[in-house]
Amino acid sequence: MKKLFTLMLPVILLMTACEQNHYVVPNRTIVTDVNRWTTTDRGLSYVARISVPELDHYIMETGAVLVYISFNGGRTYEQVPEVYRGYSYRWEKAAGEISITCEDSDGITPFDPPSSVMTVKIVLIDSDY
């Protein structure tokens, strides 16, 4: 009996010592189309502003924001910043708004704004750090 107990003791200790922690990271995903670009520098860069009321000061301070663009109607997404077909895409955030900037990859050549509709996916991740 002592031998059986001695053999089972490590198994019992291992099973009771394991702690199961499951963390759920809540997030919100906003998907929208972008087709309106404005310029203030004679065509060197274009900006599309997207209203995101869910992007509040709390997310700005403690959370995270990810931005993706689909150039083919939502079949695949590329994470921004991205260079696609010679154009550079980057984004900036402010409370309630995401701004996506497009410019020629050399940064000095004027160009026409993107003509096709792009699908943008914005992922807001809550966090308490």
Side-chain angles (χ1 to χ4, degrees):
M1 185 71 168
K2 284 186 178 182
K3 289 182 184 181
L4 180 61
F5 181 72
T6 306
L7 291 174
M8 293 297 291
L9 184 60
V11 173
I12 293 170
L13 289 175
L14 283 175
M15 290 180 68
T16 58
C18 294
E19 184 177 325
Q20 297 289 329
N21 290 329
H22 296 283
Y23 297 100
V24 177
V25 179
N27 66 54
R28 289 168 277 174
T29 302
I30 297 103
V31 178
T32 186
D33 289 332
V34 171
N35 58 2
R36 190 175 323 147
W37 297 88
T38 58
T39 185
T40 58
D41 55 9
R42 290 184 232 114
L44 291 176
S45 66
Y46 290 88
V47 177
R49 288 178 170 52
I50 302 168
S51 176
V52 184
E54 298 89 350
L55 180 56
D56 57 13
H57 289 287
Y58 180 75
I59 294 286
M60 297 273 296
E61 293 291 323
T62 64
V65 180
L66 302 172
V67 177
Y68 302 87
I69 295 179
S70 175
F71 300 97
N72 58 13
R75 291 190 301 271
T76 59
Y77 285 90
E78 301 288 334
Q79 188 170 10
V80 180
E82 171 73 16
V83 175
Y84 182 77
R85 294 189 178 174
Y87 297 104
S88 172
Y89 295 88
R90 61 185 168 84
W91 66 276
E92 296 175 0
K93 66 182 178 191
E97 179 181 90
I98 295 285
S99 299
I100 298 176
T101 302
C102 174
E103 60 188 10
D104 192 60
S105 59
D106 68 8
I108 57 172
T109 305
F111 65 100
D112 292 328
S115 59
S116 62
V117 175
M118 295 177 200
T119 304
V120 176
K121 180 176 13 175
I122 302 163
V123 181
L124 306 176
I125 303 169
D126 292 327
S127 176
D128 289 326
Y129 66 88

PDB file of all heavy atoms in Angstrom, residues 65-69 71 78-84 87-92 100-101:
ATOM      1  N   VAL A  65      -4.756  49.118 -31.521  1.00  0.00           N
ATOM      2  CA  VAL A  65      -5.518  49.282 -32.759  1.00  0.00           C
ATOM      3  C   VAL A  65      -4.723  48.655 -33.888  1.00  0.00           C
ATOM      4  O   VAL A  65      -3.526  48.888 -34.020  1.00  0.00           O
ATOM      5  CB  VAL A  65      -5.778  50.776 -33.074  1.00  0.00           C
ATOM      6  CG1 VAL A  65      -6.575  50.920 -34.361  1.00  0.00           C
ATOM      7  CG2 VAL A  65      -6.489  51.461 -31.913  1.00  0.00           C
ATOM      8  N   LEU A  66      -5.385  47.838 -34.687  1.00  0.00           N
ATOM      9  CA  LEU A  66      -4.788  47.242 -35.884  1.00  0.00           C
ATOM     10  C   LEU A  66      -5.613  47.674 -37.087  1.00  0.00           C
ATOM     11  O   LEU A  66      -6.840  47.731 -37.013  1.00  0.00           O
ATOM     12  CB  LEU A  66      -4.782  45.714 -35.789  1.00  0.00           C
ATOM     13  CG  LEU A  66      -4.058  45.108 -34.585  1.00  0.00           C
ATOM     14  CD1 LEU A  66      -4.308  43.614 -34.526  1.00  0.00           C
ATOM     15  CD2 LEU A  66      -2.580  45.398 -34.667  1.00  0.00           C
ATOM     16  N   VAL A  67      -4.943  47.965 -38.202  1.00  0.00           N
ATOM     17  CA  VAL A  67      -5.635  48.409 -39.412  1.00  0.00           C
ATOM     18  C   VAL A  67      -5.175  47.550 -40.579  1.00  0.00           C
ATOM     19  O   VAL A  67      -3.976  47.323 -40.760  1.00  0.00           O
ATOM     20  CB  VAL A  67      -5.361  49.903 -39.703  1.00  0.00           C
ATOM     21  CG1 VAL A  67      -6.025  50.332 -41.001  1.00  0.00           C
ATOM     22  CG2 VAL A  67      -5.845  50.768 -38.545  1.00  0.00           C
ATOM     23  N   TYR A  68      -6.144  47.084 -41.346  1.00  0.00           N
ATOM     24  CA  TYR A  68      -5.890  46.254 -42.528  1.00  0.00           C
ATOM     25  C   TYR A  68      -6.634  46.852 -43.714  1.00  0.00           C
ATOM     26  O   TYR A  68      -7.712  47.411 -43.552  1.00  0.00           O
ATOM     27  CB  TYR A  68      -6.398  44.826 -42.310  1.00  0.00           C
ATOM     28  CG  TYR A  68      -5.802  44.123 -41.122  1.00  0.00           C
ATOM     29  CD1 TYR A  68      -6.361  44.250 -39.859  1.00  0.00           C
ATOM     30  CD2 TYR A  68      -4.674  43.323 -41.259  1.00  0.00           C
ATOM     31  CE1 TYR A  68      -5.816  43.604 -38.766  1.00  0.00           C
ATOM     32  CE2 TYR A  68      -4.120  42.674 -40.172  1.00  0.00           C
ATOM     33  CZ  TYR A  68      -4.701  42.819 -38.927  1.00  0.00           C
ATOM     34  OH  TYR A  68      -4.157  42.175 -37.860  1.00  0.00           O
ATOM     35  N   ILE A  69      -6.056  46.711 -44.912  1.00  0.00           N
ATOM     36  CA  ILE A  69      -6.708  47.159 -46.149  1.00  0.00           C
ATOM     37  C   ILE A  69      -6.831  45.976 -47.083  1.00  0.00           C
ATOM     38  O   ILE A  69      -5.894  45.188 -47.238  1.00  0.00           O
ATOM     39  CB  ILE A  69      -5.913  48.274 -46.851  1.00  0.00           C
ATOM     40  CG1 ILE A  69      -5.857  49.532 -46.007  1.00  0.00           C
ATOM     41  CG2 ILE A  69      -6.538  48.600 -48.208  1.00  0.00           C
ATOM     42  CD1 ILE A  69      -5.061  50.660 -46.633  1.00  0.00           C
ATOM     43  N   PHE A  71      -7.479  45.221 -51.033  1.00  0.00           N
ATOM     44  CA  PHE A  71      -7.491  45.831 -52.363  1.00  0.00           C
ATOM     45  C   PHE A  71      -8.310  45.014 -53.346  1.00  0.00           C
ATOM     46  O   PHE A  71      -8.377  45.343 -54.523  1.00  0.00           O
ATOM     47  CB  PHE A  71      -6.049  45.970 -52.872  1.00  0.00           C
ATOM     48  CG  PHE A  71      -5.191  46.830 -51.993  1.00  0.00           C
ATOM     49  CD1 PHE A  71      -4.357  46.265 -51.046  1.00  0.00           C
ATOM     50  CD2 PHE A  71      -5.231  48.207 -52.092  1.00  0.00           C
ATOM     51  CE1 PHE A  71      -3.563  47.047 -50.224  1.00  0.00           C
ATOM     52  CE2 PHE A  71      -4.438  49.009 -51.270  1.00  0.00           C
ATOM     53  CZ  PHE A  71      -3.604  48.421 -50.340  1.00  0.00           C
ATOM     54  N   GLU A  78      -4.270  43.161 -46.127  1.00  0.00           N
ATOM     55  CA  GLU A  78      -2.864  43.466 -45.879  1.00  0.00           C
ATOM     56  C   GLU A  78      -2.810  44.396 -44.677  1.00  0.00           C
ATOM     57  O   GLU A  78      -3.558  45.376 -44.604  1.00  0.00           O
ATOM     58  CB  GLU A  78      -2.231  44.170 -47.082  1.00  0.00           C
ATOM     59  CG  GLU A  78      -2.281  43.390 -48.372  1.00  0.00           C
ATOM     60  CD  GLU A  78      -1.323  42.216 -48.374  1.00  0.00           C
ATOM     61  OE1 GLU A  78      -0.312  42.265 -47.646  1.00  0.00           O
ATOM     62  OE2 GLU A  78      -1.599  41.248 -49.096  1.00  0.00           O
ATOM     63  N   GLN A  79      -1.917  44.109 -43.721  1.00  0.00           N
ATOM     64  CA  GLN A  79      -1.805  44.978 -42.558  1.00  0.00           C
ATOM     65  C   GLN A  79      -1.057  46.251 -42.924  1.00  0.00           C
ATOM     66  O   GLN A  79      -0.056  46.223 -43.632  1.00  0.00           O
ATOM     67  CB  GLN A  79      -1.097  44.260 -41.412  1.00  0.00           C
ATOM     68  CG  GLN A  79      -1.140  45.059 -40.133  1.00  0.00           C
ATOM     69  CD  GLN A  79      -0.659  44.279 -38.929  1.00  0.00           C
ATOM     70  OE1 GLN A  79      -0.117  43.195 -39.057  1.00  0.00           O
ATOM     71  NE2 GLN A  79      -0.854  44.842 -37.757  1.00  0.00           N
ATOM     72  N   VAL A  80      -1.569  47.369 -42.457  1.00  0.00           N
ATOM     73  CA  VAL A  80      -0.975  48.672 -42.718  1.00  0.00           C
ATOM     74  C   VAL A  80      -0.008  48.971 -41.589  1.00  0.00           C
ATOM     75  O   VAL A  80      -0.330  48.707 -40.434  1.00  0.00           O
ATOM     76  CB  VAL A  80      -2.087  49.740 -42.798  1.00  0.00           C
ATOM     77  CG1 VAL A  80      -1.508  51.113 -43.069  1.00  0.00           C
ATOM     78  CG2 VAL A  80      -3.105  49.372 -43.867  1.00  0.00           C
ATOM     79  N   PRO A  81       1.204  49.493 -41.847  1.00  0.00           N
ATOM     80  CA  PRO A  81       1.694  50.090 -43.086  1.00  0.00           C
ATOM     81  C   PRO A  81       2.003  49.036 -44.142  1.00  0.00           C
ATOM     82  O   PRO A  81       2.400  47.918 -43.826  1.00  0.00           O
ATOM     83  CB  PRO A  81       2.951  50.834 -42.655  1.00  0.00           C
ATOM     84  CG  PRO A  81       3.400  50.180 -41.411  1.00  0.00           C
ATOM     85  CD  PRO A  81       2.185  49.602 -40.760  1.00  0.00           C
ATOM     86  N   GLU A  82       1.843  49.453 -45.384  1.00  0.00           N
ATOM     87  CA  GLU A  82       1.965  48.540 -46.514  1.00  0.00           C
ATOM     88  C   GLU A  82       2.359  49.330 -47.754  1.00  0.00           C
ATOM     89  O   GLU A  82       1.930  50.470 -47.939  1.00  0.00           O
ATOM     90  CB  GLU A  82       0.612  47.849 -46.743  1.00  0.00           C
ATOM     91  CG  GLU A  82       0.486  47.042 -47.995  1.00  0.00           C
ATOM     92  CD  GLU A  82       1.284  45.739 -47.922  1.00  0.00           C
ATOM     93  OE1 GLU A  82       1.672  45.321 -46.831  1.00  0.00           O
ATOM     94  OE2 GLU A  82       1.515  45.161 -48.983  1.00  0.00           O
ATOM     95  N   VAL A  83       3.183  48.733 -48.593  1.00  0.00           N
ATOM     96  CA  VAL A  83       3.450  49.281 -49.922  1.00  0.00           C
ATOM     97  C   VAL A  83       2.790  48.331 -50.901  1.00  0.00           C
ATOM     98  O   VAL A  83       3.068  47.132 -50.909  1.00  0.00           O
ATOM     99  CB  VAL A  83       4.967  49.400 -50.207  1.00  0.00           C
ATOM    100  CG1 VAL A  83       5.198  49.863 -51.639  1.00  0.00           C
ATOM    101  CG2 VAL A  83       5.616  50.356 -49.221  1.00  0.00           C
ATOM    102  N   TYR A  84       1.881  48.879 -51.718  1.00  0.00           N
ATOM    103  CA  TYR A  84       1.118  48.062 -52.652  1.00  0.00           C
ATOM    104  C   TYR A  84       1.103  48.750 -54.003  1.00  0.00           C
ATOM    105  O   TYR A  84       0.668  49.903 -54.119  1.00  0.00           O
ATOM    106  CB  TYR A  84      -0.309  47.868 -52.127  1.00  0.00           C
ATOM    107  CG  TYR A  84      -1.179  46.994 -52.978  1.00  0.00           C
ATOM    108  CD1 TYR A  84      -1.042  45.615 -52.944  1.00  0.00           C
ATOM    109  CD2 TYR A  84      -2.126  47.548 -53.825  1.00  0.00           C
ATOM    110  CE1 TYR A  84      -1.838  44.802 -53.721  1.00  0.00           C
ATOM    111  CE2 TYR A  84      -2.928  46.741 -54.605  1.00  0.00           C
ATOM    112  CZ  TYR A  84      -2.778  45.377 -54.552  1.00  0.00           C
ATOM    113  OH  TYR A  84      -3.565  44.567 -55.328  1.00  0.00           O
ATOM    114  N   TYR A  87       2.548  52.267 -54.154  1.00  0.00           N
ATOM    115  CA  TYR A  87       1.995  53.288 -53.267  1.00  0.00           C
ATOM    116  C   TYR A  87       2.148  52.843 -51.822  1.00  0.00           C
ATOM    117  O   TYR A  87       1.920  51.684 -51.478  1.00  0.00           O
ATOM    118  CB  TYR A  87       0.519  53.561 -53.587  1.00  0.00           C
ATOM    119  CG  TYR A  87       0.333  54.106 -54.975  1.00  0.00           C
ATOM    120  CD1 TYR A  87      -0.159  53.304 -55.989  1.00  0.00           C
ATOM    121  CD2 TYR A  87       0.677  55.416 -55.272  1.00  0.00           C
ATOM    122  CE1 TYR A  87      -0.304  53.791 -57.279  1.00  0.00           C
ATOM    123  CE2 TYR A  87       0.530  55.908 -56.558  1.00  0.00           C
ATOM    124  CZ  TYR A  87       0.043  55.095 -57.548  1.00  0.00           C
ATOM    125  OH  TYR A  87      -0.094  55.584 -58.817  1.00  0.00           O
ATOM    126  N   SER A  88       2.518  53.783 -50.984  1.00  0.00           N
ATOM    127  CA  SER A  88       2.739  53.523 -49.563  1.00  0.00           C
ATOM    128  C   SER A  88       1.489  53.928 -48.784  1.00  0.00           C
ATOM    129  O   SER A  88       0.959  55.023 -48.978  1.00  0.00           O
ATOM    130  CB  SER A  88       3.942  54.336 -49.090  1.00  0.00           C
ATOM    131  OG  SER A  88       4.073  54.259 -47.710  1.00  0.00           O
ATOM    132  N   TYR A  89       1.032  53.036 -47.901  1.00  0.00           N
ATOM    133  CA  TYR A  89      -0.133  53.293 -47.060  1.00  0.00           C
ATOM    134  C   TYR A  89       0.303  53.252 -45.596  1.00  0.00           C
ATOM    135  O   TYR A  89       1.029  52.354 -45.180  1.00  0.00           O
ATOM    136  CB  TYR A  89      -1.221  52.242 -47.293  1.00  0.00           C
ATOM    137  CG  TYR A  89      -1.796  52.287 -48.679  1.00  0.00           C
ATOM    138  CD1 TYR A  89      -1.213  51.569 -49.712  1.00  0.00           C
ATOM    139  CD2 TYR A  89      -2.918  53.050 -48.960  1.00  0.00           C
ATOM    140  CE1 TYR A  89      -1.730  51.614 -50.996  1.00  0.00           C
ATOM    141  CE2 TYR A  89      -3.441  53.105 -50.237  1.00  0.00           C
ATOM    142  CZ  TYR A  89      -2.842  52.381 -51.253  1.00  0.00           C
ATOM    143  OH  TYR A  89      -3.359  52.432 -52.516  1.00  0.00           O
ATOM    144  N   ARG A  90      -0.137  54.243 -44.830  1.00  0.00           N
ATOM    145  CA  ARG A  90       0.110  54.268 -43.393  1.00  0.00           C
ATOM    146  C   ARG A  90      -1.136  54.829 -42.721  1.00  0.00           C
ATOM    147  O   ARG A  90      -2.026  55.349 -43.393  1.00  0.00           O
ATOM    148  CB  ARG A  90       1.342  55.094 -43.047  1.00  0.00           C
ATOM    149  CG  ARG A  90       1.260  56.539 -43.445  1.00  0.00           C
ATOM    150  CD  ARG A  90       2.570  57.275 -43.168  1.00  0.00           C
ATOM    151  NE  ARG A  90       2.595  58.569 -43.802  1.00  0.00           N
ATOM    152  CZ  ARG A  90       2.074  59.673 -43.296  1.00  0.00           C
ATOM    153  NH1 ARG A  90       1.489  59.643 -42.120  1.00  0.00           N
ATOM    154  NH2 ARG A  90       2.138  60.816 -43.941  1.00  0.00           N
ATOM    155  N   TRP A  91      -1.205  54.710 -41.408  1.00  0.00           N
ATOM    156  CA  TRP A  91      -2.385  55.206 -40.707  1.00  0.00           C
ATOM    157  C   TRP A  91      -1.996  55.898 -39.409  1.00  0.00           C
ATOM    158  O   TRP A  91      -0.937  55.672 -38.859  1.00  0.00           O
ATOM    159  CB  TRP A  91      -3.384  54.089 -40.449  1.00  0.00           C
ATOM    160  CG  TRP A  91      -2.889  53.039 -39.491  1.00  0.00           C
ATOM    161  CD1 TRP A  91      -2.102  51.960 -39.786  1.00  0.00           C
ATOM    162  CD2 TRP A  91      -3.132  52.973 -38.098  1.00  0.00           C
ATOM    163  NE1 TRP A  91      -1.850  51.240 -38.656  1.00  0.00           N
ATOM    164  CE2 TRP A  91      -2.477  51.824 -37.603  1.00  0.00           C
ATOM    165  CE3 TRP A  91      -3.839  53.758 -37.205  1.00  0.00           C
ATOM    166  CZ2 TRP A  91      -2.508  51.468 -36.268  1.00  0.00           C
ATOM    167  CZ3 TRP A  91      -3.883  53.391 -35.870  1.00  0.00           C
ATOM    168  CH2 TRP A  91      -3.219  52.254 -35.426  1.00  0.00           C
ATOM    169  N   GLU A  92      -2.888  56.759 -38.961  1.00  0.00           N
ATOM    170  CA  GLU A  92      -2.756  57.460 -37.687  1.00  0.00           C
ATOM    171  C   GLU A  92      -4.107  57.428 -37.002  1.00  0.00           C
ATOM    172  O   GLU A  92      -5.143  57.339 -37.660  1.00  0.00           O
ATOM    173  CB  GLU A  92      -2.324  58.909 -37.903  1.00  0.00           C
ATOM    174  CG  GLU A  92      -0.961  59.051 -38.518  1.00  0.00           C
ATOM    175  CD  GLU A  92      -0.610  60.503 -38.822  1.00  0.00           C
ATOM    176  OE1 GLU A  92      -1.438  61.397 -38.550  1.00  0.00           O
ATOM    177  OE2 GLU A  92       0.481  60.731 -39.348  1.00  0.00           O
ATOM    178  N   ILE A 100      -6.049  57.302 -42.946  1.00  0.00           N
ATOM    179  CA  ILE A 100      -5.161  56.497 -43.774  1.00  0.00           C
ATOM    180  C   ILE A 100      -4.552  57.413 -44.825  1.00  0.00           C
ATOM    181  O   ILE A 100      -5.269  58.131 -45.519  1.00  0.00           O
ATOM    182  CB  ILE A 100      -5.916  55.333 -44.441  1.00  0.00           C
ATOM    183  CG1 ILE A 100      -6.487  54.417 -43.360  1.00  0.00           C
ATOM    184  CG2 ILE A 100      -4.998  54.568 -45.384  1.00  0.00           C
ATOM    185  CD1 ILE A 100      -7.326  53.290 -43.891  1.00  0.00           C
ATOM    186  N   THR A 101      -3.219  57.407 -44.921  1.00  0.00           N
ATOM    187  CA  THR A 101      -2.502  58.243 -45.874  1.00  0.00           C
ATOM    188  C   THR A 101      -1.910  57.364 -46.961  1.00  0.00           C
ATOM    189  O   THR A 101      -1.326  56.324 -46.681  1.00  0.00           O
ATOM    190  CB  THR A 101      -1.375  59.033 -45.177  1.00  0.00           C
ATOM    191  OG1 THR A 101      -1.945  59.819 -44.141  1.00  0.00           O
ATOM    192  CG2 THR A 101      -0.647  59.926 -46.161  1.00  0.00           C
TER     193      THR A 101
END
